[in-house]
Amino acid sequence: MAIPATIFAPSTEPLDIAVLVLPRASILEVASVLDPLRAANRHLGREGFRWRVITPDGQPAPLTCGIELPARGGLAAADGADVLIVIAGYSQAEVVTRGLLAGLRRAAGRFRAVGGVDAGPWVLARAGLLDGHRATVHWEDLEDFSTAFPAVEVVPDRFVLSRNRFTAGGAVPAADLMLHLIGTRCGAGVAGRVADSFLFETRADGARPQRPGLLPGARDPRLSAALTLMSQHLDEPLSLEAVAAAQGVGLRRLEQLFRDGLGQGPGAAYLELRLQAARRMMADTTHPIQDIALRTGFADRSSFSRAFRRRFGVAPRAARAGR
C-alpha cells in the first residue's frame, strides 16, 4: 500500500513524531502537542501515534516554568521518525546555534513533514526550511517575522498547512493543529472525543485569526472590536473619532463603553496597548529604542521614554538592562 503524500490523510499506520524542544520553551506548548496524541491513542485503543522528545544537545531542556524536560537524545535521535516538530519560545535567537540550523537543513528531507510551534517557525525559517511556504508565528512576532523572511508568505492564522510544512502560532493553536491531525488520520469522531477529554468547547479552524477580538467579560462586542482595531494600529494610532466611527457610535458613546467595560477611557486604553507592546519589544527583541518608539506610535524617543517611565516606573533602557 502506498504511503499518502501528506500526514494529514486517513491512515491506520502509526505516525512516529520527533519533538525537538528548545530551552525556554513553554510546558503548555509541549503538552498541547503531546497530550492530544496520548488521548487519541487511548480512544483508538491502539498506537496511532508515537513520539519521542529530543533536544539540541540531548540534555534535559529547561522550560520557562522552571522544570527540566527529559530527552531521548539530540537531533540524531530523530532518525526514523515520520515527522519533526520544533517547539521554541523565549530567546530562540540565543539558544539556536549554527550547528543546529545546519543539522536541521541536513535532516529535513528525511521527514515526511516538518513543523514549528510558537517560535519554532523562526527556527525553521532561519534554517531556510520555510522558503516558498505559507506560515504563521505568534501574533506578537508577525511583523518582525515577515520582515526577516521575505521568502515566506506570512499569515496571521492559528495554524497553517503548506505542503510538507506546518506551523502553529502558540500553545492553543498547537492543540487545534493536533486535533486536525487526529481528525484527518483517524476520523472526526476520534478527534471529537479527544476534544471532549480536554473540555475544548470547539475545534478551531486553522484559518481563524489568532486574536479574534473577544475581550473576556466584555458586555458589548463593540468594545472588543474597538480594542482589536486599536491593536492593529499601534504604529500610527487612529483618532478616537475614527475608532468610534468604525463601531457606528459617537465619541461620547465610545467613552461610555470603555468606562463601563474597562474602568478607563479609550485614550488611556489605547496608550496602555501601545506601552505594553513596547515593553514586549524591549524584553523580546534587540530593536533600538528609537525604533520601538516609532513602532508604538510615539513621535520621538523622548516622548516615548517619558510615557514608559510614568507607566512602568523605569526608563526603557533600564527595563531592557534588567530583563
Side-chain angles (χ1 to χ4, degrees):
M1 178 178 176
I3 297 175
T6 174
I7 63 171
F8 297 93
S11 177
T12 58
E13 294 296 317
L15 189 70
D16 196 331
I17 302 173
V19 182
L20 175 63
V21 180
L22 272 62
R24 298 200 70 199
S26 161
I27 193 172
L28 186 58
E29 294 160 0
V30 177
S32 292
V33 170
L34 297 183
D35 263 350
L37 303 179
R38 173 197 59 77
N41 286 349
R42 170 174 166 260
H43 289 292
L44 284 168
R46 59 178 174 84
E47 194 175 52
F49 301 92
R50 302 173 184 147
W51 55 89
R52 63 192 86 167
V53 173
I54 62 175
T55 57
D57 59 3
Q59 299 300 308
L63 303 181
T64 52
C65 63
I67 72 169
E68 292 191 336
L69 184 69
R72 186 175 300 187
L75 190 57
D79 287 352
D82 299 304
V83 183
L84 175 68
I85 301 177
V86 180
I87 301 179
Y90 294 111
S91 304
Q92 58 80 25
E94 299 170 15
V95 301
V96 175
T97 64
R98 291 182 180 178
L100 177 61
L101 294 177
L104 287 170
R105 282 191 290 270
R106 289 192 300 267
R110 300 200 292 268
F111 303 105
R112 291 173 56 195
V114 175
V117 171
D118 197 356
W122 280 94
V123 182
L124 298 181
R126 290 175 61 191
L129 299 178
L130 293 181
D131 289 358
H133 287 272
R134 295 175 73 250
T136 193
V137 72
H138 192 276
W139 64 268
E140 292 179 355
D141 294 337
L142 284 167
E143 181 181 352
D144 286 342
F145 188 82
S146 181
T147 301
F149 305 109
V152 181
E153 182 186 348
V154 183
V155 294
D157 298 356
R158 295 176 69 79
F159 66 84
V160 175
L161 312 182
S162 180
R163 303 191 301 280
N164 62 343
R165 299 287 186 264
F166 57 89
T167 48
V172 177
D176 296 335
L177 172 63
M178 292 299 104
L179 287 172
H180 179 72
L181 175 64
I182 293 164
T184 54
R185 290 185 69 83
C186 308
V190 176
R193 290 193 290 275
V194 171
D196 288 344
S197 296
F198 295 102
L199 301 181
F200 288 133
E201 293 185 3
T202 61
R203 284 188 286 140
D205 178 4
R208 283 176 51 198
Q210 293 179 27
R211 304 178 72 199
L214 298 179
L215 179 69
R219 299 177 186 176
D220 194 310
R222 291 172 294 185
L223 174 57
S224 292
L227 286 167
T228 298
L229 183 63
M230 289 174 172
S231 70
Q232 294 169 345
H233 295 83
L234 298 180
D235 55 342
E236 296 183 2
L238 301 171
S239 69
L240 295 183
E241 287 82 3
V243 175
Q247 309 314 316
V249 300
L251 188 56
R252 182 172 297 180
R253 179 57 180 150
L254 183 74
E255 179 83 23
Q256 192 62 51
L257 288 173
F258 273 77
R259 293 287 177 191
D260 291 345
L262 298 180
Q264 62 181 169
Y270 208 164
L271 178 60
E272 178 72 8
L273 286 173
R274 292 161 56 203
L275 288 172
Q276 291 293 347
R279 185 163 70 165
R280 287 195 299 269
M281 290 186 208
M282 295 294 299
D284 299 339
T285 76
T286 58
H287 295 323
I289 293 176
Q290 174 69 19
D291 192 22
I292 292 175
L294 295 176
R295 284 170 177 248
T296 51
F298 291 90
D300 51 53
R301 177 170 171 168
S302 60
S303 60
F304 166 63
S305 295
R306 288 194 297 272
F308 193 96
R309 183 189 290 272
R310 281 196 301 269
R311 174 62 181 86
F312 300 115
V314 295
R317 185 180 296 277
R320 171 165 280 174
R323 66 181 178 179

